[in-house]
Amino acid sequence: ILPYIAGFLDGDGCVMMQLVYRHDYILGYQIRASIVFYQKTQYKGFLVWLKKKLRFGYIRERNDNISEYTIVGQNEVEKVLKLLQPHIRLKKRQTKLALEIIKELKSVKRFTPNILLQIAKKVDQFGKLNYSKKRTNTSKKVEAYLKTKNLLSP
């Protein structure tokens, strides 16, 4: 069953690491890990089955007749990617990079502006791997924010 789910992720899914602006965060940004599976809403039952198998996340229906099954959070994404990694073919680089970033995030004892910026630069690589067109939060934007708040040491 895991090879089947990995194939579905390769074809109709996405592995993402994103920089998300958060006004309530001292450093202004959060690094969000997520996996999303997409399917026409008429086949949403498949996403329900998938959610039962993976036991994380939520399903939502979009206005364009597409449903999404989304898993968000470092721990959940890490567990699912480790299960699927041996079977993933097309998204090997995204999977490997996401697991590296999650490992790095978990190893941080004290999150500093410099550490955030260092990891944000790795997150930027997802823009290229996922052919992202709408990506607006980048390490450059994080760096500019940290400088305006005088949080970045030279």
Side-chain angles (χ1 to χ4, degrees):
I1 200 162
L2 292 177
Y4 181 79
I5 295 171
F8 186 65
L9 177 61
D10 271 338
D12 287 325
C14 189
V15 178
M16 293 183 280
M17 296 297 293
Q18 298 166 287
L19 297 165
V20 180
Y21 174 72
R22 298 289 305 257
H23 69 87
D24 55 333
Y25 277 39
I26 292 169
L27 300 179
Y29 284 85
Q30 164 192 17
I31 297 173
R32 178 186 298 157
S34 57
I35 300 170
V36 186
F37 295 90
Y38 303 93
Q39 195 60 257
K40 280 190 172 182
T41 297
Q42 76 184 83
Y43 302 113
K44 185 175 118 183
F46 175 75
L47 297 178
V48 172
W49 171 85
L50 193 57
K51 183 179 182 298
K52 279 184 189 164
K53 295 294 176 198
L54 296 175
R55 300 192 322 255
F56 299 115
Y58 59 92
I59 297 170
R60 77 177 185 104
E61 290 183 24
R62 299 185 338 198
N63 293 331
D64 59 356
N65 201 30
I66 298 291
S67 290
E68 298 177 347
Y69 167 39
T70 304
I71 300 166
V72 180
Q74 293 174 25
N75 295 331
E76 293 85 351
V77 168
E78 180 181 43
K79 285 177 186 168
V80 172
L81 289 181
K82 282 182 174 179
L83 278 175
L84 301 179
Q85 189 175 28
H87 311 287
I88 289 175
R89 297 290 172 261
L90 298 174
K91 293 185 169 68
K92 277 184 185 294
R93 289 165 52 201
Q94 290 94 324
T95 300
K96 184 176 184 278
L97 182 58
L99 289 170
E100 285 172 11
I101 292 170
I102 290 169
K103 184 179 179 181
E104 193 170 344
L105 287 168
K106 287 180 160 193
S107 74
V108 174
K109 301 276 186 279
R110 190 170 160 273
F111 227 73
T112 66
N114 287 325
I115 290 171
L116 172 63
L117 189 55
Q118 172 190 325
I119 298 173
K121 288 176 182 175
K122 289 183 181 176
V123 171
D124 283 348
Q125 295 174 38
F126 274 86
K128 296 177 194 97
L129 293 174
N130 289 342
Y131 318 110
S132 178
K133 295 171 203 75
K134 294 190 229 170
R135 189 177 193 87
T136 57
N137 291 332
T138 64
S139 62
K140 295 272 185 234
K141 197 167 178 182
V142 171
E143 184 175 22
Y145 175 86
L146 294 171
K147 283 181 178 174
T148 63
K149 299 292 182 183
N150 292 319
L151 293 171
L152 206 55
S153 56

